[in-house]
mmCIF file of all heavy atoms in Angstrom:
data_model
loop_
_atom_site.group_PDB
_atom_site.id
_atom_site.type_symbol
_atom_site.label_atom_id
_atom_site.label_comp_id
_atom_site.label_asym_id
_atom_site.label_seq_id
_atom_site.Cartn_x
_atom_site.Cartn_y
_atom_site.Cartn_z
ATOM 1 N N THR Q 31 117.929 -68.042 -10.714
ATOM 2 C CA THR Q 31 117.331 -68.422 -11.982
ATOM 3 C C THR Q 31 116.661 -67.184 -12.567
ATOM 4 O O THR Q 31 115.911 -66.482 -11.879
ATOM 5 C CB THR Q 31 116.292 -69.540 -11.790
ATOM 6 O OG1 THR Q 31 116.951 -70.678 -11.214
ATOM 7 C CG2 THR Q 31 115.658 -69.936 -13.108
ATOM 8 N N TRP Q 32 116.969 -66.916 -13.828
ATOM 9 C CA TRP Q 32 116.542 -65.681 -14.508
ATOM 10 C C TRP Q 32 115.772 -66.036 -15.773
ATOM 11 O O TRP Q 32 116.238 -66.844 -16.563
ATOM 12 C CB TRP Q 32 117.777 -64.845 -14.878
ATOM 13 C CG TRP Q 32 118.588 -64.456 -13.690
ATOM 14 C CD1 TRP Q 32 119.620 -65.147 -13.112
ATOM 15 C CD2 TRP Q 32 118.429 -63.282 -12.913
ATOM 16 N NE1 TRP Q 32 120.111 -64.465 -12.038
ATOM 17 C CE2 TRP Q 32 119.395 -63.304 -11.882
ATOM 18 C CE3 TRP Q 32 117.556 -62.186 -12.983
ATOM 19 C CZ2 TRP Q 32 119.519 -62.299 -10.937
ATOM 20 C CZ3 TRP Q 32 117.669 -61.177 -12.046
ATOM 21 C CH2 TRP Q 32 118.643 -61.237 -11.040
ATOM 22 N N ALA Q 33 114.611 -65.418 -15.972
ATOM 23 C CA ALA Q 33 113.791 -65.636 -17.163
ATOM 24 C C ALA Q 33 113.951 -64.459 -18.104
ATOM 25 O O ALA Q 33 113.840 -63.295 -17.680
ATOM 26 C CB ALA Q 33 112.334 -65.812 -16.773
ATOM 27 N N LEU Q 34 114.180 -64.741 -19.385
ATOM 28 C CA LEU Q 34 114.329 -63.699 -20.380
ATOM 29 C C LEU Q 34 112.985 -63.010 -20.626
ATOM 30 O O LEU Q 34 111.981 -63.664 -20.874
ATOM 31 C CB LEU Q 34 114.855 -64.274 -21.693
ATOM 32 C CG LEU Q 34 115.086 -63.283 -22.840
ATOM 33 C CD1 LEU Q 34 116.221 -62.312 -22.485
ATOM 34 C CD2 LEU Q 34 115.384 -64.019 -24.132
ATOM 35 N N ASP Q 35 112.993 -61.687 -20.564
ATOM 36 C CA ASP Q 35 111.816 -60.872 -20.906
ATOM 37 C C ASP Q 35 112.037 -60.384 -22.339
ATOM 38 O O ASP Q 35 112.726 -59.393 -22.560
ATOM 39 C CB ASP Q 35 111.675 -59.707 -19.927
ATOM 40 C CG ASP Q 35 110.410 -58.893 -20.154
ATOM 41 O OD1 ASP Q 35 109.860 -58.934 -21.289
ATOM 42 O OD2 ASP Q 35 109.987 -58.197 -19.212
ATOM 43 N N LYS Q 36 111.457 -61.111 -23.293
ATOM 44 C CA LYS Q 36 111.677 -60.775 -24.697
ATOM 45 C C LYS Q 36 111.136 -59.397 -25.059
ATOM 46 O O LYS Q 36 111.685 -58.724 -25.935
ATOM 47 C CB LYS Q 36 111.085 -61.854 -25.605
ATOM 48 C CG LYS Q 36 111.813 -63.186 -25.509
ATOM 49 C CD LYS Q 36 111.449 -64.146 -26.618
ATOM 50 C CE LYS Q 36 110.105 -64.759 -26.405
ATOM 51 N NZ LYS Q 36 109.783 -65.775 -27.426
ATOM 52 N N SER Q 37 110.100 -58.941 -24.379
ATOM 53 C CA SER Q 37 109.505 -57.643 -24.699
ATOM 54 C C SER Q 37 110.423 -56.479 -24.328
ATOM 55 O O SER Q 37 110.331 -55.411 -24.916
ATOM 56 C CB SER Q 37 108.151 -57.473 -24.014
ATOM 57 O OG SER Q 37 108.309 -57.355 -22.604
ATOM 58 N N LYS Q 38 111.317 -56.683 -23.377
ATOM 59 C CA LYS Q 38 112.243 -55.622 -22.958
ATOM 60 C C LYS Q 38 113.629 -55.786 -23.573
ATOM 61 O O LYS Q 38 114.437 -54.868 -23.503
ATOM 62 C CB LYS Q 38 112.355 -55.590 -21.426
ATOM 63 C CG LYS Q 38 111.072 -55.167 -20.751
ATOM 64 C CD LYS Q 38 111.234 -55.126 -19.255
ATOM 65 C CE LYS Q 38 109.916 -54.731 -18.585
ATOM 66 N NZ LYS Q 38 110.034 -54.783 -17.131
ATOM 67 N N SER Q 39 113.899 -56.936 -24.145
ATOM 68 C CA SER Q 39 115.208 -57.213 -24.756
ATOM 69 C C SER Q 39 115.238 -56.629 -26.157
ATOM 70 O O SER Q 39 114.186 -56.403 -26.766
ATOM 71 C CB SER Q 39 115.452 -58.721 -24.796
ATOM 72 O OG SER Q 39 115.469 -59.251 -23.477
ATOM 73 N N GLN Q 40 116.451 -56.399 -26.678
ATOM 74 C CA GLN Q 40 116.601 -55.801 -27.998
ATOM 75 C C GLN Q 40 117.638 -56.581 -28.807
ATOM 76 O O GLN Q 40 118.658 -56.994 -28.263
ATOM 77 C CB GLN Q 40 117.059 -54.359 -27.885
ATOM 78 C CG GLN Q 40 116.075 -53.471 -27.182
ATOM 79 C CD GLN Q 40 116.624 -52.049 -27.014
ATOM 80 O OE1 GLN Q 40 117.702 -51.729 -27.485
ATOM 81 N NE2 GLN Q 40 115.856 -51.202 -26.340
ATOM 82 N N GLY Q 41 117.357 -56.749 -30.094
ATOM 83 C CA GLY Q 41 118.321 -57.374 -30.992
ATOM 84 C C GLY Q 41 118.481 -58.868 -30.780
ATOM 85 O O GLY Q 41 119.545 -59.418 -31.078
ATOM 86 N N LEU Q 42 117.434 -59.546 -30.286
ATOM 87 C CA LEU Q 42 117.537 -60.977 -30.042
ATOM 88 C C LEU Q 42 117.759 -61.748 -31.335
ATOM 89 O O LEU Q 42 117.126 -61.446 -32.366
ATOM 90 C CB LEU Q 42 116.259 -61.511 -29.372
ATOM 91 C CG LEU Q 42 116.015 -61.093 -27.941
ATOM 92 C CD1 LEU Q 42 114.647 -61.622 -27.476
ATOM 93 C CD2 LEU Q 42 117.109 -61.589 -27.027
ATOM 94 N N PRO Q 43 118.624 -62.759 -31.306
ATOM 95 C CA PRO Q 43 118.797 -63.620 -32.480
ATOM 96 C C PRO Q 43 117.458 -64.318 -32.781
ATOM 97 O O PRO Q 43 116.675 -64.621 -31.882
ATOM 98 C CB PRO Q 43 119.859 -64.621 -32.046
ATOM 99 C CG PRO Q 43 120.537 -63.988 -30.880
ATOM 100 C CD PRO Q 43 119.516 -63.126 -30.215
ATOM 101 N N ASN Q 44 117.215 -64.617 -34.049
ATOM 102 C CA ASN Q 44 115.965 -65.248 -34.476
ATOM 103 C C ASN Q 44 115.590 -66.504 -33.692
ATOM 104 O O ASN Q 44 114.418 -66.650 -33.328
ATOM 105 C CB ASN Q 44 115.981 -65.540 -35.987
ATOM 106 C CG ASN Q 44 115.891 -64.280 -36.806
ATOM 107 O OD1 ASN Q 44 115.347 -63.273 -36.369
ATOM 108 N ND2 ASN Q 44 116.417 -64.333 -38.016
ATOM 109 N N PRO Q 45 116.522 -67.420 -33.419
ATOM 110 C CA PRO Q 45 116.115 -68.630 -32.670
ATOM 111 C C PRO Q 45 115.539 -68.308 -31.288
ATOM 112 O O PRO Q 45 114.634 -68.993 -30.837
ATOM 113 C CB PRO Q 45 117.416 -69.428 -32.558
ATOM 114 C CG PRO Q 45 118.238 -68.971 -33.724
ATOM 115 C CD PRO Q 45 117.915 -67.515 -33.861
ATOM 116 N N LEU Q 46 116.038 -67.281 -30.634
ATOM 117 C CA LEU Q 46 115.505 -66.945 -29.310
ATOM 118 C C LEU Q 46 114.182 -66.202 -29.412
ATOM 119 O O LEU Q 46 113.338 -66.314 -28.523
ATOM 120 C CB LEU Q 46 116.525 -66.112 -28.512
ATOM 121 C CG LEU Q 46 117.800 -66.849 -28.108
ATOM 122 C CD1 LEU Q 46 118.662 -65.979 -27.209
ATOM 123 C CD2 LEU Q 46 117.488 -68.169 -27.436
#
Side-chain angles (χ1 to χ4, degrees):
T31 300
W32 300 89
L34 181 66
D35 185 338
K36 292 194 284 185
S37 68
K38 293 181 181 176
S39 299
Q40 297 176 4
L42 290 176
N44 288 334
L46 293 186

